[in-house]
Every structure is written in structure tokens, then in C-alpha cells.
Amino acid sequence: MSASSLNALEKRTAVSLACVFAFRMLGLFMLMPVLAIYGTELEGFSPLWIGIAIGAYGLTQALLQIPMGWLSDKFGRKRVIVAGLIMFAIGSIIAAMAESIYTVTLGRALQGMGAIAAAVLALAADLSRDEQRPKVMAVIGMCIGLSFAAAMLLGPMIAASFGVSGIFWLTACLAVLGIFIVLTVVPTAVNRAPKGDTSASLNDIKNLVKHPQLVRLNLGVMLLHLTLTAVFVALPAELIKDGLAAEMHWKLYIPVLLLAFVFMVPMMIIAIKKQKEKMAFLVSIALIVASLMSLSLFGSSALIIGVCMLIYFIAFNFLEATMPALVARISPAGQKGSAMGAFSSTQFLGAFLGGIIGGYFAQVSDAQTVFAAATLVGVIWFAIAWGMEVPPKSKLISLLTELQGEKENFDPEKAAEKLANDLADLPGVLETTVVLEENRTYLKVKESEFDLQQAKAVAGIV
């Protein structure tokens, strides 16, 4: 298998986890272009409360991503993901039955308690090589983007026929479908790091939160999602002002999002192959700033809005794929779940703040003020990102390992844990992942200290 392409495990991981993420995000995205329009029927409606309802999900997500990420390090990724999807479904049902904006906000907050982003991204990182991880994250990001495009089409159609509650009922069904995919399709893996680095203690989490490079990435994803949420508090109403009916907004969104993916691919190829990751990162932030500034100054027609959003989403897609891959590369081997938890917490905190800020400025001023505030956020992010450092890549070793034991009492997961722990203790081994379905073990190693023959002996390979 070429080092420049995804292997079978990485493809299965990318597609299955992307579907779980996309099904979950589809329901959330469907709400963004319609709540400000169809939410007027809810008791207690106001632009500010619309912003709070959109952002409430982000607040509870932000509070729980680190605990859920830590739990995934300690008890396993799949258990945490399934539990989170169950909570997400419960919140969706409560919001679907709501008659006031306040109960919708409560349902959104409960949805956010199903904080699985950290566990999903950590599992994707567990099952991918350093050099292929941006591609796996890009597949996940691409499916999220496609779900965004689908949401722009389906959201107004469903809301027009069934109201906002119809979107929440569909969201609950998609959560159940996500649970089915996790239990039947997503690969099962046991991941271990060397002793002393197996799971994050409270002190470790503090160190992760204070790590200078992780801080830049965490603040970056927070500011990115702040701009996204704030923009979509005001954008739908601007399109309606220009004469584009709500049910027709998909005619602008879908071409923009599809073209954004097409133009994002060359950026990613150049960044990875030419080792220009930092330059591409900074250019993307500059594109975010340029697009938002143009929206603020000239965004009075659907055509101009479409061009600005195309530029915005080219950059957005690249950054969405790049940042979690960098977090996984920087974080200690056994603490990826906790690191992804901190990353996801700030991401959803950004969504919460974006809803509040966008709702406030939309209520007291106008859409152009919302876009101007988002532009300022982008400028601040560019200054923060200027000092970022891209870490070197490690080497991944693949070993075909057949787990064995007494037939009557044989437990594959326990055998995998023992093998993973034994291999993690070897010199030069940074991380061990045993994939049960493939009878294969992946070692992330420091080449200068690693002895392949010693690893084969531990794994029982002749």
C-alpha cells in the first residue's frame, strides 16, 4: 500500500465515522437557515433568543467535550460515542415537542450534552497514520460539508411542510441511525500508549489546555465557529431581503459548497506534499477575513453573498480538516481523547458565542454589523496563528498479529489490551493500536529508538 494513499482500515474509518458525524450535524445544520424565519411562530420569539437557541447547543458541548474525551481515553471510544448519541436523540425529541423558544433552547442544550466530537476525532486519529490523518479528517470534514449542503436544501423544505419540529424529529431518527453505524460498521480498536502516558490526569489536562501550540489551535477553532454561527444568524434574512425566498436558498448554498470542496483539494495537496502547512493555514485565515469584510461592505445582493461565501467555505473546509489533524499530532499518544476534548470544547464554545454575538448585533443593529464583528474576529485569529509551529511526523509500523488464548475463556478485547500494553512498553513505541477485525497492530514509533525484531517477538511473529 502506497504511503501516499489511504489503506483499507483508514478508508473504512473515514467513511463510517464521517457518516456518524454527518448524520448528527445534518439536523443541526438544517436548523440554521430556518429558525430565524420559522421560529417566529414559537412563543417568546426574538432575534436574541434565536441566537441563544442556536448557540445553546454549543455551550453544553463546550462544557462536556473534555470530560467525554477523557472518558473515551479511559473506557473506550465507542461506548462514549453511543452514549452521546442517545442523549442527542433525547434532546431532539424534547425540542420537537416544544411550543416555545425557551423549550427549544432546552432541547438544544440537551442535544449538546451528547458531546461525541472529541471521541469521534480521537478514534479517527487512533486508526490513521500521521501522513494520512489530514485526509481522514478531510473526508470527515467533507461529509460534514455535504451534510451542510443537504441541510440547506432540506431544512427550508421540511420547515415549510412540518415546521421546526419536523427538523428535530428527523434529527432524532438520524441519531438512532448513527448508533447503528457505530455498533456495526465502525472498526473496533484498542489503543495504548507507554506507561505513565496512558490516560490524562487532571494535571495532564491542565498541561494540554496550556500547551502553547494547542492553545493556538483551540482558540482558532473557537473563532472559526464563532464566525460561522454569527454569519448564519443574519445571512438568511439578507437573502430574503434581496428577493430570494427561504425555500430557494439551497440554489445558492449547494453550488457554493460543492465548488468550495473542489477548490479546497489543491490547497490540501500543496500543503501536505510541499510541506507548506503553516503557509496554507495562514492564507486560509486571510481568506476568511477577506470574505467576511466583503460581506460587511458589499453583501447586499445574493450574487455578492454567494461569491463571499464561496471564498469563506474554501478556507473553512481546509481549516476544518487541518486543525484536528494537527491536534492529534501534537498531543501525547495516550491523551488524544482529552486533547480532542479541549479542542472540541472551544469549537462549540465558539458556536455558542457566535449565536449570542450574532443575535445581539442583529437585534440592535443590522446584518452588516454582524459581518463586521465577524471580520474583526478573523483578524484577531490571524494574529494568534502567526506564531504556530507544525510538528514533525512520526513513522507508522503495521504488524499482522493473530490474538490467541484458551478457547473456552478467550476474550479478544482482553487479549488485545494485553498485546497493546506489552508493545507500548517497548523502547521507541509512542502508541499502539490493535484492530480486532483485521488481526493487525499499528505502532507509532520513533525510528531512532525502535527495534522491529523486538516488536515482532512480543507480538509472536516468527
Side-chain angles (χ1 to χ4, degrees):
M1 175 65 64
S2 170
S4 64
S5 61
L6 298 178
N7 60 33
L9 174 68
E10 289 165 337
K11 289 176 182 176
R12 180 179 168 193
T13 298
V15 172
S16 59
L17 289 178
C19 287
V20 172
F21 228 128
F23 287 150
R24 175 170 159 273
M25 297 304 290
L26 178 61
L28 300 174
F29 287 146
M30 282 193 293
L31 200 65
M32 293 179 71
V34 301
L35 188 57
I37 300 169
Y38 294 94
T40 55
E41 301 171 1
L42 294 167
E43 179 187 342
F45 169 86
S46 74
L48 180 58
W49 266 103
I50 290 297
I52 293 172
I54 291 175
Y57 173 87
L59 178 61
T60 47
Q61 283 275 318
L63 294 174
L64 292 176
Q65 285 295 342
I66 292 178
M68 294 286 271
W70 178 82
L71 288 172
S72 79
D73 283 336
K74 192 171 182 63
F75 298 109
R77 314 291 190 210
K78 278 191 170 185
R79 292 186 181 95
V80 169
I81 294 170
V82 169
L85 287 171
I86 291 172
M87 179 57 69
F88 183 78
I90 292 171
S92 300
I93 292 170
I94 290 174
M97 299 172 67
E99 295 183 356
S100 72
I101 189 65
Y102 315 116
T103 310
V104 167
T105 303
L106 172 63
R108 291 277 294 167
L110 290 173
Q111 281 183 322
M113 292 178 69
I116 65 170
V120 170
L121 294 175
L123 182 55
D126 290 343
L127 296 169
S128 58
R129 294 164 287 173
D130 274 5
E131 65 271 18
Q132 297 304 319
R133 194 167 293 134
K135 294 181 184 178
V136 172
M137 298 299 179
V139 171
I140 294 174
M142 189 176 300
C143 284
I144 293 173
L146 290 174
S147 73
F148 188 93
M152 297 303 105
L153 170 61
L154 296 174
M157 293 171 60
I158 294 173
S161 301
F162 304 103
V164 173
S165 64
I167 292 176
F168 285 115
W169 284 119
L170 178 58
T171 300
C173 293
L174 291 172
V176 174
L177 180 57
I179 292 172
F180 175 78
I181 292 173
V182 171
L183 296 177
T184 60
V185 182
V186 174
T188 301
V190 174
N191 182 267
R192 289 292 183 272
K195 287 181 180 176
D197 196 29
T198 301
S199 62
S201 65
L202 181 59
N203 190 56
D204 292 328
I205 292 174
K206 289 180 180 177
N207 290 334
L208 287 173
V209 172
K210 293 189 296 184
H211 190 292
Q213 297 308 317
L214 290 177
V215 165
R216 284 187 172 87
L217 292 168
N218 291 343
L219 288 175
V221 78
M222 180 185 76
L223 298 178
L224 178 63
H225 282 262
L226 189 158
T227 64
L228 177 69
T229 309
V231 164
F232 272 91
V233 169
L235 191 64
E238 287 300 291
L239 292 174
I240 290 175
K241 281 183 184 178
D242 192 51
L244 189 63
E247 59 272 19
M248 294 290 105
H249 287 187
W250 66 269
K251 291 185 176 180
L252 181 145
Y253 294 135
I254 289 184
V256 162
L257 292 167
L258 292 178
L259 285 172
F261 284 122
V262 171
F263 290 120
M264 180 268 289
V265 171
M267 286 184 65
M268 182 156 289
I269 292 173
I270 293 171
I272 295 173
K273 289 192 174 182
K274 303 294 185 181
Q275 298 184 349
K276 300 290 186 182
E277 288 173 281
K278 180 176 179 178
M279 180 183 294
F281 196 93
L282 293 173
V283 167
S284 295
I285 301 175
L287 290 176
I288 293 279
V289 172
S291 64
L292 294 174
M293 183 182 296
S294 299
L295 269 180
S296 175
L297 296 175
F298 313 113
S300 58
S301 71
L303 177 59
I304 293 174
I305 289 173
V307 172
C308 292
M309 294 314 294
L310 173 60
I311 296 170
Y312 179 91
F313 278 107
I314 292 170
F316 182 93
N317 292 336
F318 177 83
L319 293 165
E320 277 284 280
T322 301
M323 284 192 286
L326 289 173
V327 170
R329 203 191 305 176
I330 293 170
S331 60
Q335 299 171 23
K336 284 200 297 288
S338 300
M340 288 297 184
F343 177 79
S344 297
S345 287
T346 51
Q347 172 184 343
F348 289 108
L349 178 61
F352 170 70
L353 294 174
I356 299 296
I357 291 171
Y360 173 77
F361 282 116
Q363 181 159 314
V364 302
S365 185
D366 55 20
Q368 279 62 45
T369 306
V370 174
F371 302 147
T375 302
L376 178 59
V377 168
V379 172
I380 294 170
W381 182 14
F382 189 89
I384 292 171
W386 186 262
M388 72 176 288
E389 298 174 4
V390 177
K393 296 174 181 176
S394 59
K395 182 177 178 62
L396 193 89
I397 303 294
S398 173
L399 299 176
L400 187 61
T401 50
E402 187 171 348
L403 301 174
Q404 297 179 348
E406 296 181 10
K407 291 184 179 179
E408 293 183 1
N409 301 316
F410 181 61
D411 185 334
E413 286 203 25
K414 287 186 178 180
E417 287 180 9
K418 183 179 184 307
L419 176 60
N421 285 325
D422 290 343
L423 288 168
D425 289 338
L426 296 179
V429 175
L430 302 174
E431 184 176 352
T432 304
T433 301
V434 180
V435 183
L436 299 176
E437 291 93 339
E438 293 191 349
N439 287 324
R440 188 170 290 277
T441 299
Y442 296 91
L443 304 176
K444 183 177 178 180
V445 304
K446 191 182 295 182
E447 275 192 285
S448 60
E449 301 175 14
F450 177 70
D451 186 335
L452 179 59
Q453 296 307 316
Q454 188 180 21
K456 286 184 175 181
V458 171
I461 301 173
V462 181

